[in-house]
Amino acid sequence: MLTVRLDLFNFRTPAMSKSILLIDDDPQLLTSLTHFFTRLGWDVSSAHDGRTGIELYERDGPDVVITDLEMRGLSGLQVVDVLRSRDPDAVVLLLTGHGDIATAVEALKRGAENFLTKPVDFEHLELATERAREKAVLRLRATLVPTGSGTSPALAALGSSPAMRRLGDQLQLLSAGTAPVLLGGETGTGKGWIARRIHAMSGRARGPFVEVNSAGFSATFLDSELFGHEKGAFTDAKHARRGLFEVADGGTLFLDEIGDLAPELQPKLLTVLESQRFRRLGGSREIEVDVRLVAATNVDLREAVRAKRFREDLYYRLAVLPLELPPLRERGADEIARLAHALLDE
């Protein structure tokens, strides 16, 4: 197991192998999934039931597990529980029918990485699996790289307090990936500045950085801003217009105050996170983009989920790699003074 995990540390090496375990009691679907991932270059093992799947996981230590939710014998939820109890780093995705969404969300709470509905969209499945593996790699690197190992010059402006050095280490790890990032913290902690640093340190630095605030806009206006609209989509839509997701293609979209995102837009954002595809307001054509989302909030999204103001499945997709920005009072008097002088200089 340890050898497999340490190999993941060099995840940018093109020749590195990727391993996956498939668990499903439907022989036809299992065969289709096996052929699909084999063609993509994954090392594939498979099991027709949960108990065998758990044994294979302990033997092989695959990078990712995909399991059906409803199976004879052990259910997918039970598989998640067993794997996560034995290996907290286990990366598990669920396949579920539309009627089992509530159970799938419960699995996310227990540590599953993601869930996908049947019938399987194989393009979506490939994207979700690669992202799940990437998140696991980033988590592993965070445990292997010692804190305070050296902050890049691009992050020198963060300061030298212990809290900000820890933040710098986290940013260096996250900037290499493409998974969504959720920034939390009080108003004034610099979430917009951090979002720009993530973009500048990433492989998308030459692409666009686009910023939009979710607060204070109607759902229709924000829908048009984010996803664009077709001519005639609403009264004043005299021409088709690209949305900010299209503008940010190849780069980063910073969505501030995501806790204020209108409930009717949350499913559409969820779709983009899952598939990188969406439709313009009033349109029927699917548009595909390559955008990394950095979201920020100064409210407790978990409380918003409990109050039914924010979708639970969207929260779990955003909060896999959260960053909490420390307030000024935790940064020390010297650092506050340095920041004050820097602001006066500007």
Side-chain angles (χ1 to χ4, degrees), residues 53-122:
I54 292 168
E55 293 172 357
L56 288 176
Y57 184 88
E58 293 184 333
R59 186 192 73 185
D60 300 333
D63 301 338
V64 179
V65 178
I66 297 180
T67 179
D68 191 17
L69 185 60
E70 296 294 335
M71 296 185 292
R72 293 183 295 274
L74 291 181
S75 69
L77 194 58
Q78 290 172 309
V79 171
V80 171
D81 286 341
V82 172
L83 292 183
R84 295 284 296 179
S85 67
R86 299 182 184 181
D87 178 9
D89 294 323
V91 179
V92 188
L93 288 80
L94 292 161
L95 295 178
T96 176
H98 287 280
D100 300 319
I101 298 298
T103 308
V105 170
E106 176 62 27
L108 294 181
K109 292 180 181 178
R110 299 189 190 188
E113 193 70 38
N114 204 339
F115 69 86
L116 301 95
T117 55
K118 297 178 181 179
V120 177
D121 180 334
F122 283 93

Side-chain angles (χ1 to χ4, degrees), residues 6 48 69 80 90 95 97 110 118 124 134 157 164 167 175 178 200 204 254-256 260 265 282 309 317 334:
L6 289 177
H48 290 90
L69 185 60
V80 171
L95 295 178
R110 299 189 190 188
K118 297 178 181 179
H124 180 189
E134 176 188 297
M164 298 310 283
L167 179 62
S175 62
T178 60
R204 299 169 176 266
F254 174 48
L255 187 53
D256 201 4
D260 294 323
L265 290 183
R309 297 191 307 271
R317 280 169 173 78
D334 290 343

Side-chain angles (χ1 to χ4, degrees), residues 8 42 60 67-68 83 160 177 185 234 248 293 321 331 345-346:
L8 283 174
W42 290 75
D60 300 333
T67 179
D68 191 17
L83 292 183
S160 58
F234 49 88
L293 181 69
L321 298 169
R331 303 186 191 181
D345 288 342
E346 288 184 14

Side-chain angles (χ1 to χ4, degrees), residues 131-149:
R131 285 190 170 180
R133 180 172 172 274
E134 176 188 297
K135 292 173 188 176
V137 167
L138 290 173
R139 287 197 199 100
L140 176 66
R141 293 182 69 190
T143 63
L144 294 177
V145 176
T147 301
S149 56

